[in-house]
Each structure stands twice: as structure tokens, then as C-alpha cells.
Amino acid sequence: MVIDGISYIPSNVLLSEIHKTAIKDDRAFALLDPRGESPRAHSPHSPLGFFRDDTRYISIWETTINGDAPVPLSRELRPGGSTLIVSMTNRDLQPIGSFPTIPRDSFLIRRIISLVNDQVHEWFSIRNYSQHAQLLQIEQWIGSRFDDLFEVRGYHRSARGKILGAREETVKGGRLTQLRYEGLDGLERSTYIRQLFECEKIRLAPGLLGVFTRVEVPPKADVVLITQAGLGTPVHGRLEGEPLEKLSITTAMDRIQILQTAKIRPNFHIESDNALFNRALEGALQDLSMLLTRENGGDLYPYAGIPWFSAPFGRDGLISAYQLLPWHPALARGVLNYVFSHLGTREDSFTEEQPGRVFHELRRGEMAATREIPFIPYFGSVDATPLALILLHDYFSWTQDRESLERWWPEALRALHWLEDFGDPDRDGLIEYNRKSPTGLANQGWKDSHDSVMHQDGTLAQAPIRLCEVQAYAYRARLGMAELARVRGATDQAVRWEGDAHQLRALFQKHFWDAESGSIHLALDAEKRPCRVLSSNMGHCLWAGILDPEQSKKVGAHLMGHSLFSGHGIRTLADTEAAYNPLSYHNGSVWPHDNSLILQGFRSTGQNEHLQTLAQAMISVLETSGDFRLPELYCGFRKRGNEPPVPYEVACKPQVWAAGSLFLLIRAILGIRKESPDQVVFDTPWLPESLSWLRVQGLRGPGWELDFRVRRTEGAATIEVERRSGPVQVISIR
């Protein structure tokens, strides 16, 4: 089904009726049902299974006991997000042989699944709590069609590769099987399966393996079945060089936890006196840790979300890295390294690559390799390039990392040149986009649905389109580049770019500011007619600093007015607009990352009352969420009483800039900003009534580190420095 080009996700792939859990390690991830499985009964378009590099290497992962599925009781996602522990029990089970019927709740069944270095490790543990020995027949089914992720998302392919015959061999202590697929790209992809227990084959066919084993479990005793599967990589029955069967489950879990923590755990800590808020903080950190991925030989890059967007995205990575400044500057360094090393170098209409352009999305599956989709990478993003320059400036402001600045400077110049050249092909001074690839994105701002830019009567705007927030981004990017040029001693460049920024601001005032309504037009269409609709996009203009103080106040009043503010947050589109739909992706829903940037915009323009109202709304969403998360988005229905927001069915969990929103919210309510390399300002800090105090450990700058506590007082908050290392001055403004 194709409704919105290649980006539409049809309803038959959603599985909204079951709870799904994601685990991830680097470029591999899994989405599993409440039993920790991807059962045979689900459709080929179910999103369940084990994936790596946009290929589903395992679509069937199922275990039965005496022909019946276990009953799930609880699940635990371990810190770091690469290990899932599911506790289960049994229904009444039919006996094997002369053994009696097994009553329900006789067993505690624990399934422990870990992703480590592109491999699946499963410990299937059965504890017999009955007073009798029990004979069990355990069946295990593992299979794969080696679907490309876009096939799973519902994209129809006219042809696909072929499933090859499976290979098997008996190895010491178990069985080794290889499921194989030859893609249209000429590559052979394999899933390697190793059962570290004695088993017999039920079925071995192309793409499917079924085995069984019979075990007698003594009373009050355990039996553990270990399975290892390689997602494109051979398996050897080992973890960190040691045989899996010689490691206790506890030892194995400890080693996996050490590997995960050493890889990506941020080195800052935030806590409060509110247990629910602390749980939300820990959950956001866990989501971020799960989505951080090693790229370029070690740089950290945040993948956008699971399951549909577990890949590098330019815009998402840049915004989430900004959200984590100043808490985790290493993330910004990794993101900037990655985007600057992947800048466009040539013109390609299929991928929309252009010299100096920041990529939008990078995929590594079969359909990307055969150019059935353009994400190899795809460059159809109009805002990622100025966002990269904004992040560069802010990263340097916090870290004074001169070495990285010098290394990135040639790429930064190429990116700025893209704004001046390819980003403005008609030379009218405004940044625009016009899709060149028939399989690319019709809209190329952050609201990239096909129907997200429209006129007041609901008719869609025709390209080329000039978005309001993109002009604001370009304005802020040029001012930031000018400041960096002065740091480098390039005064002539600085003067020129400051002049370019002021010219762009004048054009913005002429074409986008609606003096009559005191609002900002969403966009200009192909004929430069304004799209006179109220949208959250103007909040990004507030954040970027392109408005004067009076305009900022008027925009703030619109954003927090009845038509845009739902009580749960600011809608993407006002409920007074013809195209408004609270159930849509971009035309009336609420996105936490969108709101987090607006929060920072309220802070930078001194609109503290609006900041407090919006921050409290977002915190209330956390408090009413079943999993204490800010989701990718939720529906835009008006809040009634203490009810939570209506979930959006396709929302990714976890999702990186949703998790990052909580940390930008904290920065905004505390009013943290840098005045100089060794000076931190807390500008009228504030805490909501649900927090009496907030403690931060590990706020870092160039050569200094700071721990502090914020205490709520009547109408304000106070800052108490608990520890400082290095030359840092703390200024608190009340």
C-alpha cells in the first residue's frame, strides 16, 4: 500500500492489540511480544522479529512446552536496553507418556534475551515448583524470510530474492543451522542458529527450523536451554570468549551489562525528590542509551526510533544532540563528526544529494542497495543543513573544542555554501525545497508527511515551498557561523555572514510576518503565496531568535492560545484550521520534541509564564503515562480533567528526540545558559509544584565540572553549588 509515497505505514502492520518490547544493541534491534517472541501465527507484515541493517534476520522466534505457549507474567528491560527478561508460567499441560497432567502454575519460566554484537543470546529457564518430577517436550521454531524493513512496513516489491536451502551440522553439545537468502543485490544473507542443548529436528526447510527436546525437571530444580543466533554473523557458542554453557545466567548478565554500560552510558546524573519524575529520567536515559549506536568506527550517533526508524537520520540526530547539550556534549561531537563526514559531494536527483547538503536518512538493506528506495543515503531534508551549523556553534560555545572546530570547518563552509546556492536556486534569499526524486519526500521539513503544508482552505501547497522555520534556522546558523569566524580571526567572513543574516531577517519580516493577526505564515508556496495557517512551526522561529520582542509575545500568545495549546502540549496545527485532524501525524497531533524547542524559545524570549504552563503540561503527560515516557507524539484532543493524552498508534517507542525532550525541558526551566567559557548563568530558575528539589551532577564545560541542587521557593527557585572543579563562575538571576 502506498498512500504517502514510501513513508506511509499501513494499519495492518501496527499490532496495536499487543504490548511490544524493543531491545537494541548497536545496529541490531528486536521487537517482541509479551512472551519475548515473534510467533508463527503473526502476519508477514507484523513488525515483530530480530533486525540488523534494515533486514529482518529472524521473523519467527517461538517456544512451546508440551504443545502450549507459556503465560506471561512480567517483563523487565535491563539498563542499556539490550536485555529483556520475561517471567512466565504454564497453563494446565497435557502429559507426556505416563506422566500425570501438569497443573497450571507449576513452573516459573524465565526467558532472558540479549543482543550482543549482532548476536542473539537466549536463556530459557524452567523452574519446577511442584513436588514431582515433570517430563516436558519443548519445541523451538526459528525462521526468516529475510524481509527488508520497508517490506515489513507495507511497501510492495515487484520482485524479491530467493530463500536458499538451509544448512545444518551437529556440533558438540547441540546443533548448528544456517538459514540463507540471496537478495536481488547479489548478497547472501544468513541467520546462524546454535542450540546448546541436545535436540532433534522436527522440520528443516528453506527459511524455517523446528526442533524439540525432552527434559525431565526434578522437583524444586531448574533446567536451562541456551540458544544463540547470529544476525548475519556466525555463532560459536561463546560470550566474550567463554563458552555460554559454562557461564551462569547471573555472570552472563553481568558481563553484558558491563559491555553495554562501558559503551554508551552518559556521565551525568539528574535526580529529584519525586519518584515518578526520577523514573521518567531513568527511562529517558535508558531509551537514549538503547538508541545510541557506534558509527564511523566509534562515534556515538542516536538512531531515531524503533522499529521503523532504527537508522541514522540527520535532522533527528542533530536535534537530539542539541537537546542533550550541555548534559552530554560527546553526543554532539559524534553527531557532528558523522553528518560532516557524510555531506553531499555531487548532484544526484534520485537521492537528492547536492554538494554540502546534510543527509536525511541512511539505510543499509537490500532495497537500498538495489535503489528501490533512495535512502542510500537520501538527502531530501531542507532543514538538516542549517541545524548542523546551529549545533556546531552551540557545541563550541559549551566546550571550546577548538581542535574539532578546525577539523570540521571546511565541511561547515560547504554546508553554508549549500544554503547560499542549492538551498536557494532562484536566488530570492529564501531557502526552499522541491522534490526531485519520485520516491522521495514531497515535504522536506520536520513535518514531512505529504499533506503537512497547506493553505487556509485545506488545499495543499505546491512546491517549491519555503517553510517559515527553515528561514529562521538559516538566520541563526549564519549568526553562529559569523561568531565562529571571529573566533578563528576571520573578521571579513563574520561581517559578511552577519549581513546575510540581517538581509534574511528582513525578507522574513516581509514575507512571513502577518502584522494583522500577529502570527507567522507556515510557508510560501510555488507562487510565493503565504500559507495563512496557525501551526507550531512558528514556535521554532521563536527558538531561532528571528523575531523582535513584540512579535515574540504575540507568537507566544498564539502558541498558548486555545486553538494550539491542547492542555497536553502545543498542537502541530490549530484546531481552527480546515486541515486539522487530532489523529493525524503532523496536522493536529502533539510532538514532545517540537514542544521542547518551543519551551527553549519561551525561555530565550523571557516568556516565563508560558514556559511554566507548557513545562507543567509536559510533566503531567509523564505522570499519566503508563510507562513514564514522553512518546514520539500523541493525539491532539483537548485535555479533560486528569486524563492522559490519547496515544498515536504508530508512535515509536523508544524514540530519540522524545527522550531528549525531557533534558531540554530541564535546561529550559532552570534557565541554564553560557555567558562565557567559564561562566554559567541560571536565569530565573523555576521548579513545578511536583518537585521540591532537583539535583544535577556532572554539568561540564571546558576544564570545569559542576554539581548543584535547585530548591523550589515561593514563585522561584534557588541554586546551591555542591561541588565545583576547575574555573567556573555560577550566576543566578531571580
Side-chain angles (χ1 to χ4, degrees):
M1 178 185 293
V2 178
I3 294 178
D4 186 5
I6 203 163
S7 63
Y8 185 76
I9 301 171
S11 59
N12 65 326
V13 309
L14 302 181
L15 288 185
S16 57
E17 72 279 6
I18 68 167
H19 181 96
K20 302 174 286 293
T21 301
I23 59 175
K24 178 180 174 295
D25 179 68
D26 270 344
R27 282 153 56 171
F29 76 90
L31 195 68
L32 303 169
D33 75 1
R35 294 186 182 91
E37 293 189 337
S38 177
R40 286 170 290 172
H42 283 164
S43 106
H45 294 303
S46 154
L48 300 179
F50 295 83
F51 299 76
R52 184 176 72 84
D53 288 345
D54 302 308
T55 297
R56 181 161 59 182
Y57 279 86
I58 299 174
S59 54
I60 296 171
W61 185 271
E62 179 181 2
T63 302
T64 62
I65 300 175
N66 289 13
D68 198 18
V71 178
L73 301 173
S74 67
R75 55 191 168 271
E76 174 195 354
L77 189 63
R78 295 292 298 273
S82 67
T83 299
L84 173 66
I85 302 174
V86 180
S87 296
M88 301 176 284
T89 189
N90 63 290
R91 296 186 179 92
D92 295 330
L93 295 179
Q94 293 300 312
I96 301 295
S98 60
F99 278 69
T101 297
I102 303 172
R104 64 179 178 84
D105 303 329
S106 294
F107 305 119
L108 172 63
I109 304 162
R110 298 181 77 221
R111 167 180 263 134
I112 302 168
I113 300 178
S114 284
L115 282 176
V116 184
N117 298 329
D118 299 332
Q119 296 186 352
V120 184
H121 301 74
E122 179 184 85
W123 291 263
F124 195 87
S125 168
I126 304 171
R127 171 87 173 170
N128 180 7
Y129 278 101
S130 74
Q131 299 179 37
H132 309 285
Q134 303 289 1
L135 180 63
L136 303 177
Q137 178 164 306
I138 301 170
E139 291 186 9
Q140 184 185 66
W141 293 89
I142 301 174
S144 180
R145 295 178 67 251
F146 295 89
D147 307 288
D148 189 282
L149 180 68
F150 283 84
E151 289 182 272
V152 181
R153 281 174 53 169
Y155 188 85
H156 175 71
R157 302 180 70 187
S158 59
R160 70 188 315 273
K162 58 183 178 181
I163 303 290
L164 303 176
R167 294 172 177 166
E168 65 173 333
E169 61 179 295
T170 301
V171 295
K172 182 179 179 181
R175 173 184 299 274
L176 180 64
T177 307
Q178 181 184 359
L179 305 180
R180 303 184 301 142
Y181 170 77
E182 183 180 336
L184 296 179
D185 55 358
L187 296 180
E188 183 176 313
R189 294 169 172 85
S190 294
T191 300
Y192 300 85
I193 305 157
R194 190 180 184 112
Q195 282 100 0
L196 298 175
F197 54 89
E198 296 292 343
C199 56
E200 297 183 36
K201 178 174 62 181
I202 302 173
R203 184 178 180 191
L204 181 64
L208 181 64
L209 168 68
V211 300
F212 81 93
T213 187
R214 287 191 175 182
V215 295
E216 185 172 325
V217 190
K220 314 304 180 184
D222 301 271
V223 65
V224 179
L225 306 181
I226 303 174
T227 303
Q228 192 179 36
L231 310 179
T233 59
V235 291
H236 304 288
R238 295 175 176 270
L239 176 64
E240 291 293 286
E242 286 200 50
L244 277 172
E245 63 269 27
K246 292 186 177 181
L247 296 174
S248 70
I249 294 177
T250 300
T251 300
M253 291 299 96
D254 289 344
R255 293 192 177 188
I256 291 170
Q257 192 64 48
I258 290 170
L259 287 172
Q260 184 75 6
T261 302
K263 182 181 70 173
I264 55 179
R265 188 68 175 177
N267 52 7
F268 69 93
H269 181 70
I270 304 176
E271 63 177 340
S272 75
D273 64 321
N274 185 312
L276 296 182
F277 193 73
N278 291 343
R279 187 165 176 181
L281 284 167
E282 186 59 34
L285 275 177
Q286 179 164 281
D287 286 353
L288 288 165
S289 296
M290 185 190 304
L291 292 166
L292 290 180
T293 306
R294 289 174 292 198
E295 293 280 359
N296 278 6
D299 288 331
L300 293 180
Y301 200 92
Y303 280 15
I306 296 174
W308 311 118
F309 307 119
S310 188
F313 281 73
R315 176 192 303 118
D316 302 56
L318 291 160
I319 288 179
S320 59
Y322 171 80
Q323 291 171 323
L324 267 291
L325 272 175
W327 317 112
H328 194 25
L331 177 58
R333 183 171 63 249
V335 168
L336 288 167
N337 260 337
Y338 192 80
V339 298
F340 283 142
S341 67
H342 286 78
L343 279 187
T345 59
R346 61 194 179 97
E347 293 188 65
D348 181 343
S349 60
F350 179 68
T351 64
E352 306 206 44
E353 180 178 1
Q354 294 167 332
R357 193 176 196 180
V358 171
F359 79 99
H360 168 66
E361 178 178 355
L362 173 62
R363 297 290 183 167
R364 298 180 170 101
E366 177 190 357
M367 291 176 63
T370 57
R371 294 175 73 92
E372 294 174 69
I373 55 174
F375 309 127
I376 53 178
Y378 175 63
F379 288 80
S381 167
V382 71
D383 52 359
T385 306
L387 285 170
L389 298 178
I390 290 171
L391 181 63
L392 171 62
H393 170 261
D394 283 25
Y395 170 77
F396 182 79
S397 297
W398 272 103
T399 65
Q400 300 295 300
D401 182 358
R402 186 66 179 263
E403 179 183 350
S404 295
L405 174 63
E406 294 302 323
R407 185 172 71 254
W408 296 327
W409 192 249
E411 283 69 37
L413 293 178
R414 289 171 54 206
L416 187 61
H417 180 67
W418 181 87
L419 292 177
E420 299 168 342
D421 187 3
F422 295 98
D424 181 19
D426 61 357
R427 299 299 185 269
D428 67 350
L430 299 173
I431 311 300
E432 65 186 52
Y433 64 85
N434 189 359
R435 176 174 62 178
K436 294 180 172 57
S437 172
T439 56
L441 295 169
N443 283 313
Q444 298 185 357
W446 86 259
K447 298 177 184 176
D448 55 11
S449 300
H450 77 289
D451 59 352
S452 63
V453 184
M454 75 295 293
H455 287 283
Q456 200 168 30
D457 63 359
T459 59
L460 299 184
Q462 299 300 305
I465 291 171
R466 303 153 187 88
L467 290 169
C468 64
E469 78 272 17
V470 174
Q471 318 313 317
Y473 295 165
Y475 168 79
R476 178 166 170 165
R478 285 174 169 138
L479 289 181
M481 284 291 287
E483 188 174 320
L484 293 175
R486 291 189 189 280
V487 168
R488 300 182 72 255
T491 305
D492 290 346
Q493 283 182 326
V495 170
R496 178 197 161 193
W497 294 335
E498 286 169 345
D500 291 344
H502 294 314
Q503 288 179 19
L504 176 55
R505 186 175 184 275
L507 287 170
F508 182 90
Q509 296 289 331
K510 176 181 178 182
H511 292 289
F512 289 91
W513 178 250
D514 187 336
E516 182 178 349
S517 67
S519 66
I520 298 170
H521 302 314
L522 168 61
L524 304 182
D525 69 4
E527 299 175 3
K528 298 186 180 179
R529 293 184 302 141
C531 298
R532 302 176 185 272
V533 295
L534 291 177
S535 71
S536 67
N537 300 58
M538 60 183 170
H540 293 229
C541 301
L542 196 70
W543 169 73
I546 200 169
L547 304 174
D548 66 33
E550 189 61 30
Q551 291 172 334
S552 296
K553 290 179 182 179
K554 292 179 179 179
V555 166
H558 277 295
L559 291 168
M560 297 304 292
H562 190 78
S563 64
L564 275 169
F565 182 63
S566 73
H568 293 302
I570 295 170
R571 301 181 177 103
T572 46
L573 191 68
D575 66 2
T576 52
E577 300 298 343
Y580 169 73
N581 178 358
L583 295 161
S584 73
Y585 200 50
H586 288 131
N587 292 340
S589 54
V590 178
W591 288 65
H593 93 275
D594 185 29
N595 280 247
S596 75
L597 291 174
I598 297 171
L599 269 177
Q600 190 64 17
F602 285 151
R603 168 57 73 183
S604 62
T605 56
Q607 300 186 69
N608 293 345
E609 184 176 345
H610 290 334
L611 178 145
Q612 293 172 15
T613 302
L614 180 55
Q616 185 58 63
M618 295 176 70
I619 291 170
S620 296
V621 170
L622 282 173
E623 293 172 344
T624 57
S625 168
D627 56 5
F628 305 98
R629 269 180 172 140
L630 288 172
E632 178 188 13
L633 72 156
Y634 41 90
C635 295
F637 296 105
R638 183 158 305 284
K639 181 180 181 182
R640 290 178 174 84
N642 293 321
E643 66 179 9
V646 176
Y648 184 80
E649 198 173 24
V650 192
C652 286
K653 285 187 177 183
Q655 210 272 353
V656 70
W657 61 16
S661 297
L662 183 54
F663 298 98
L664 186 53
L665 180 152
I666 293 171
R667 177 181 171 185
I669 66 175
L670 299 185
I672 300 175
R673 70 171 191 264
K674 281 286 285 299
E675 286 294 309
S676 66
D678 58 356
Q679 190 178 83
V680 178
V681 175
F682 294 85
D683 189 348
T684 57
W686 169 83
L687 288 179
E689 289 187 2
S690 57
L691 302 178
S692 296
W693 57 263
L694 185 77
R695 187 182 186 212
V696 176
Q697 295 172 291
L699 181 68
R700 289 172 173 81
W704 57 261
E705 189 172 320
L706 188 66
D707 297 347
F708 61 91
R709 187 184 295 264
V710 188
R711 294 190 186 276
R712 181 166 55 85
T713 58
E714 189 171 345
T718 59
I719 306 296
E720 301 172 4
V721 175
E722 296 186 333
R723 183 185 68 88
R724 73 177 83 202
S725 173
V728 56
Q729 181 185 11
V730 177
I731 299 174
S732 181
I733 302 173
R734 295 189 66 180

